[in-house]
Amino acid sequence: MTYRFIVKGKVQGVWYRRFVSENAKKAGFKGYVRNLPDMSVEAVANIENEERLKEFIEILKKGSPYSEVKDISIEEINDIQFDDFEIRY
């Protein structure tokens, strides 16, 4: 399954995407993270089950030391297969 997350708060200009990308890769997730024009961040990932979904949400919640996550919205989207986890610009 593929999920799309919108993360709001202090998440741009604070190494948030890099943190998410590195930790998602370490945990074996595939997808991407990118900044959005409204100062939020979008993450899209392939997630196999409920346990992995919780694990990915924890990565998004934790964020980088300078970030401050205020809200995360989640939606299941049409399945997209990724080969790796990357930062998109």
Side-chain angles (χ1 to χ4, degrees):
M1 289 182 280
T2 304
Y3 290 88
R4 179 177 185 248
F5 306 84
I6 301 297
V7 185
K8 295 187 176 179
K10 188 177 166 191
V11 289
Q12 287 195 20
V14 290
W15 298 96
Y16 184 80
R17 288 175 303 161
R18 184 171 178 181
F19 174 91
V20 169
S21 177
E22 285 175 359
N23 285 276
K25 272 185 191 182
K26 275 185 213 163
F29 289 103
K30 297 187 184 320
Y32 69 86
V33 62
R34 68 177 180 157
N35 285 342
L36 295 177
D38 69 355
M39 299 303 288
S40 65
V41 168
E42 174 189 54
V44 175
N46 299 137
I47 299 175
E48 306 85 49
N49 56 46
E50 193 72 30
E51 202 172 293
R52 293 286 281 161
L53 178 60
K54 288 178 185 167
E55 188 181 346
F56 192 78
I57 291 168
E58 282 307 308
I59 291 170
L60 295 177
K61 277 184 185 172
K62 186 175 181 193
S64 64
Y66 299 107
S67 66
E68 189 179 320
V69 175
K70 296 211 161 114
D71 184 60
I72 301 173
S73 63
I74 306 163
E75 66 175 319
E76 196 175 325
I77 61 172
N78 289 336
D79 213 21
I80 306 165
Q81 288 305 309
F82 299 101
D83 296 326
D84 199 359
F85 201 94
E86 65 183 15
I87 297 172
R88 290 197 178 167
Y89 298 94

